[in-house]
Each structure stands twice: as structure tokens, then as C-alpha cells.
Amino acid sequence: MKTKQVIKRVAEYDQFGYPRWTSVTTEKRIFDDEDKMAVVAEYQAGKMTAAQIVEKYHLSSRQVLFNWMDRFLREESLSLGASETEDMAKDPEERIRELELENRRLQKALDTETLRAKAFDTMIELAESKFNIPIRKKSGTKR
């Protein structure tokens, strides 16, 4: 992980309440792909929550972590087709461990999507009750 100096202009207020602009130098962290994969792997291990990972690595938000997860897990799944022959050459115990890890990752993804679907349903129900507007498509309607 590299850092670089960033100069930001911020407004400060003097003793009379008048704003004045000052420059503040801060450090910005730059993550390369290997660093991002390591952070995603640490989160996938399940020992820390997303909020803890964000705080530990000074990420701007949890969404950054989730975007990295989407990107690297999608790349990993696309590269699985090429590595099938390599998987067959591994010993059965190592293959079982890998499959158990994959199973845990998929279970987490399923749990996340289930919660997301429930949140969307709750949001729709609240919107329908608050604004008295039917949002869901009713069965048997014509196009």
C-alpha cells in the first residue's frame, strides 16, 4: 500500500466568524490489486466485520470494500474454468478444504442477498403504505 500527499483547501472561520480558505496536507492511501485482494481475503475469512476492515485500512466507506469484493470474486469465478484441470491434480484433502472455503463464501453471499431482498421488500411495503401507491405488479394484469 502506497501513500501520496494530497493538498485540500478547507474553510476555517476566524474569531469573528468570517471564513478563510487554508490548505491542509493529508495522506491518501493507494491500494494496488494485490493489496485489495488481501483486504477482501481478510474480510472473507470472517474474523472481522466490514466496518472493522474499513476502520483498519482507512477506506472511505464499506461500499469500497464491497466493490472490491464484486470485482475480485467475479474475476476469480471467470478464471475458475481455466483452473479445472489444476484442481483435479490436487490431493483430495486440499480440494475438500478449498470447496469448504468456497461453500462458506457462497453461503455469505447468499445471506447477504437474502438480507438485501428482505430490505427491498420492506422498503416497498413502507412506500406502499405511506404513499398509498401500489408498486408491486398484481397477478392477472394486462400489458
Side-chain angles (χ1 to χ4, degrees):
M1 172 178 50
K2 299 177 188 175
T3 59
K4 74 175 186 177
Q5 298 287 328
V6 178
I7 299 174
K8 293 183 180 181
R9 300 209 10 106
V10 294
E12 286 185 348
Y13 295 93
D14 63 11
Q15 62 202 26
F16 303 109
Y18 292 108
R20 64 186 168 115
W21 290 98
T22 60
S23 297
V24 176
T25 303
T26 61
E27 283 190 355
K28 181 177 180 180
R29 290 176 171 76
I30 301 171
F31 294 89
D32 59 6
D33 286 346
E34 293 169 359
D35 294 331
K36 292 175 185 178
M37 285 191 287
V39 171
V40 168
E42 186 173 344
Y43 177 71
Q44 288 293 319
K47 295 178 182 172
M48 297 176 77
T49 64
Q52 291 169 332
I53 295 282
V54 167
E55 186 176 328
K56 179 179 178 182
Y57 293 103
H58 305 285
L59 302 177
S60 58
S61 69
R62 292 179 352 159
Q63 190 59 43
V64 172
L65 173 64
F66 296 139
N67 287 343
W68 290 353
M69 285 176 54
D70 287 345
R71 177 178 165 206
F72 291 115
L73 295 177
R74 188 176 314 116
E75 286 177 5
E76 180 182 301
S77 66
L78 290 176
S79 68
L80 284 179
S83 66
E84 286 179 5
T85 56
E86 295 173 6
D87 289 343
M88 289 181 201
K90 295 179 182 176
D91 66 349
E93 286 133 20
E94 185 178 344
R95 180 75 175 131
I96 289 172
R97 262 186 273 121
E98 287 179 359
L99 290 173
E100 287 173 348
L101 287 172
E102 178 73 6
N103 189 15
R104 270 189 254 140
R105 184 188 67 79
L106 291 173
Q107 188 63 43
K108 274 187 180 182
L110 176 64
D111 293 343
T112 303
E113 289 303 316
T114 303
L115 286 173
R116 187 175 177 175
K118 187 173 182 176
F120 283 138
D121 285 340
T122 305
M123 183 176 61
I124 289 171
E125 289 170 7
L126 286 172
E128 286 179 336
S129 66
K130 184 173 183 173
F131 300 115
N132 200 20
I133 304 171
I135 296 174
R136 297 181 201 263
K137 183 177 178 182
K138 308 296 183 214
S139 60
T141 58
K142 295 182 181 179
R143 289 188 177 203

